[in-house]
Amino acid sequence: MPDTVVILTPDLKILDATDEYYRITMRTREELVGQDFLDSFPDNPDDPSSRNAFLLRKSLEKVLETKQPDRLEVLRYDIPRPASAGGGYDVRFWEAIHAPIPDEKGNVSYIIQKTSDVTERELSKHALALEESKFRFMADAMPQLIFTTNPEGKLTYLNQRWEQYTGEPITNLFGDKWQETIHPEDQGAFAAKWKEALQQGTEMQAELRQRDKNGNYRWHLCRSMPMHTEQGELTMWVGSYTDIHDTRNLVMELLATNEQMVALSDQVHHSFLKAEAERKVMEQLILKAPFFCCILKGPEHRYELVNENYQKLIYNRDSVGKTVAEVIPEVVEQGFIQILDKVYTTGEDFLAEAVPIKLAQVNTNELQQYYLTFIYQALRDENGNIHGILVFGYDVSDQERYRQKLQDLELSQ
């Protein structure tokens, strides 16, 4: 038989099994026949999550007691490797059914166990769950209001910033209530744009006022982008709200103050909109995010993940697997390694706004001045131990230079 089947006596001794069973358990017929079933496959002493021999025994005892088949859903039960294969244990996940074979009097004379090795499926599920948890962590850490919907526009996810900004529990914002936080005067135009985007499957962008937890309305730039499969099928929408209130007010003040500054304020406004338009919000969720982002592992601050915007910032230097000091040595004397060390040691976030930093151009090694707004945030494992640092932020060089120009213009008048 091609199936994984073993035959047991009522006292749980192994009578025989299929060749497939011996192959998948890495045992021979001579090693198993006549042996106690559970003693032949002891629990993995190195991993408590795999110690499920008691569940296996309970299922077999239930079959003996009820004389009815019993099914075990997905169960982790690691298999010991033979010494010739290096010893230790193989991580395995199983589904099993135990069926009794009665004698003439109806008593259980044998038990047949048929198993299915579902390890690959379960490991894939665990890997997917881990990736989803990473996405949610990074989305919750973003300074933007992030949302996702299904292809029809029904809300499927809001990050924690929504609750912090609106003061409403996230569960209260599902359905259409998340759009009720939009200023009444802006709701009609937004709804029309959103409907058009849904019908045409195209990117949407709109400026609107969003109500905060204190009842105040602040201007936001809302962008929503469709995500497609390789075959072109629309799978979901990913969107964000970026606070542009201060920038918008600044533009309006400049327009109202001096006609000569109209052109410059228009450049500031359009510069901001262009920067926002070029960002592909949450495209590919992380790697194509509209901010620069990386994950540093260990006390040496080695790059584990670097998105496209971060790669551009460091002139596409080879980074993954290397330390920050190796990739951008010019920041060592600027004190950024010391800041990373402090975040890794204390676990305290470090937030910087429009901080000057000099980065060397690859071809000339000439230092170029940037202004960055960013955060260093410690990453912790399930035990609360720090194992890395999340870095994300924005290049605000243009805005800072415009701000300085505006100050110079105001001083000259």
Side-chain angles (χ1 to χ4, degrees):
M1 293 173 59
D3 296 320
T4 309
V5 176
V6 62
I7 304 174
L8 308 175
T9 64
D11 58 353
L12 306 185
K13 299 291 184 181
I14 299 174
L15 286 176
D16 207 345
T18 59
D19 291 342
E20 178 64 11
Y21 183 86
Y22 293 120
R23 184 193 69 80
I24 205 167
T25 60
M26 298 178 288
R27 295 292 184 275
T28 66
R29 182 171 277 103
E30 291 74 21
E31 289 176 317
L32 291 183
V33 171
Q35 301 300 313
D36 183 272
F37 179 57
L38 294 175
D39 290 344
S40 299
F41 300 102
D43 277 331
N44 183 352
D46 300 325
D47 194 332
S49 64
S50 71
R51 298 174 188 171
N52 292 314
F54 75 98
L55 293 176
L56 185 58
R57 179 182 293 276
K58 185 177 180 180
S59 175
L60 292 167
E61 290 175 348
K62 183 178 179 180
V63 172
L64 291 171
E65 179 182 351
T66 65
K67 302 177 184 179
Q68 297 294 322
D70 186 61
R71 179 181 293 277
L72 278 176
E73 300 302 331
V74 177
L75 180 74
R76 178 175 172 181
Y77 202 109
D78 295 349
I79 298 298
R81 290 190 295 267
S84 59
Y89 283 77
D90 266 2
V91 174
R92 298 287 184 88
F93 291 85
W94 309 88
E95 291 177 344
I97 184 168
H98 297 134
I101 304 299
D103 58 17
E104 297 82 357
K105 298 180 180 180
N107 297 316
V108 177
S109 57
Y110 307 108
I111 297 177
I112 293 180
Q113 182 200 66
K114 183 181 182 300
T115 59
S116 298
D117 186 346
V118 294
T119 304
E120 184 175 350
R121 183 193 73 192
E122 292 302 308
L123 291 179
S124 296
K125 287 170 58 178
H126 293 172
L128 179 60
L130 179 60
E131 290 303 315
E132 289 179 349
S133 68
K134 286 182 179 179
F135 156 68
R136 289 182 179 274
F137 173 80
M138 298 185 73
D140 287 340
M142 291 178 187
Q144 296 170 303
L145 305 176
I146 304 298
F147 67 91
T148 66
T149 77
N150 64 11
E152 292 73 37
K154 184 177 180 181
L155 189 68
T156 56
Y157 170 74
L158 294 172
N159 70 345
Q160 288 297 321
R161 292 286 177 181
W162 281 87
E163 185 169 325
Q164 297 169 11
Y165 180 81
T166 64
E168 290 282 346
I170 289 178
T171 53
N172 290 356
L173 297 174
F174 272 78
D176 293 329
K177 290 188 177 181
W178 65 296
Q179 297 185 21
E180 294 178 5
T181 60
I182 299 173
H183 194 287
E185 295 178 2
D186 301 334
Q187 289 181 8
F190 174 80
K193 281 193 173 184
W194 182 224
K195 181 179 180 180
E196 181 181 1
L198 289 174
Q199 292 174 345
Q200 299 182 2
T202 56
E203 181 179 345
M204 183 208 71
Q205 179 171 299
E207 290 186 18
L208 47 84
R209 287 162 288 182
Q210 192 83 4
R211 187 180 67 243
D212 66 15
K213 59 185 176 183
N214 297 318
N216 301 317
Y217 286 92
R218 293 182 62 85
W219 282 99
H220 284 73
L221 176 66
C222 176
R223 294 189 63 214
S224 184
M225 181 177 298
M227 292 188 65
H228 298 86
T229 64
E230 294 181 357
Q231 293 73 33
E233 180 184 357
L234 177 62
T235 59
M236 64 183 296
W237 291 82
V238 181
S240 69
Y241 284 76
T242 302
D243 191 320
I244 60 170
H245 191 81
D246 295 337
T247 302
R248 185 183 175 92
N249 285 347
L250 174 62
V251 172
M252 300 308 295
E253 288 174 6
L254 290 174
L255 288 171
T257 301
N258 195 318
E259 185 177 354
Q260 295 178 353
M261 299 180 68
V262 169
L264 180 58
S265 62
D266 187 65
Q267 290 176 14
V268 174
H269 182 61
H270 284 86
S271 236
F272 179 82
L273 294 181
K274 181 180 179 181
E276 289 297 326
E278 289 175 351
R279 291 180 185 150
K280 293 185 176 181
V281 179
M282 294 296 293
E283 182 177 335
Q284 300 301 321
L285 301 181
I286 298 300
L287 293 179
K288 294 187 181 297
F291 50 84
F292 65 78
C293 174
C294 70
I295 294 178
L296 306 175
K297 298 295 288 186
E300 302 87 3
H301 316 307
R302 294 186 180 276
Y303 289 102
E304 181 184 53
L305 180 146
V306 179
N307 76 346
E308 289 185 1
N309 283 331
Y310 193 94
Q311 278 294 117
K312 293 177 182 178
L313 186 66
I314 62 173
Y315 298 98
N316 293 317
R317 305 181 206 186
D318 185 19
S319 57
V320 175
K322 297 181 179 180
T323 66
V324 174
E326 291 172 335
V327 177
I328 43 177
E330 61 267 25
V331 304
V332 176
E333 294 184 358
Q334 298 178 57
F336 289 95
I337 301 300
Q338 294 178 352
I339 297 173
L340 287 170
D341 290 340
K342 182 177 179 182
V343 173
Y344 191 89
T345 302
T346 66
E348 297 178 359
D349 294 349
F350 176 79
L351 177 64
E353 295 187 1
V355 171
I357 179 173
K358 294 181 179 180
L359 297 175
Q361 299 184 49
V362 174
N363 296 329
T364 64
N365 283 328
E366 180 181 348
L367 293 178
Q368 182 170 341
Q369 179 102 330
Y370 289 87
Y371 292 91
L372 304 179
T373 293
F374 62 90
I375 186 172
Y376 293 158
Q377 189 169 49
L379 297 175
R380 299 178 182 270
D381 59 21
E382 61 275 9
N383 299 317
N385 298 318
I386 297 174
H387 63 86
I389 295 176
L390 171 66
V391 180
F392 62 83
Y394 297 91
D395 180 357
V396 295
S397 301
D398 289 344
Q399 291 91 327
E400 184 64 18
R401 294 188 185 103
Y402 280 124
R403 187 188 66 78
Q404 293 174 2
K405 287 182 180 180
L406 291 176
Q407 286 181 345
D408 294 341
L409 287 173
E410 292 174 351
L411 291 175
S412 65
Q413 290 185 356

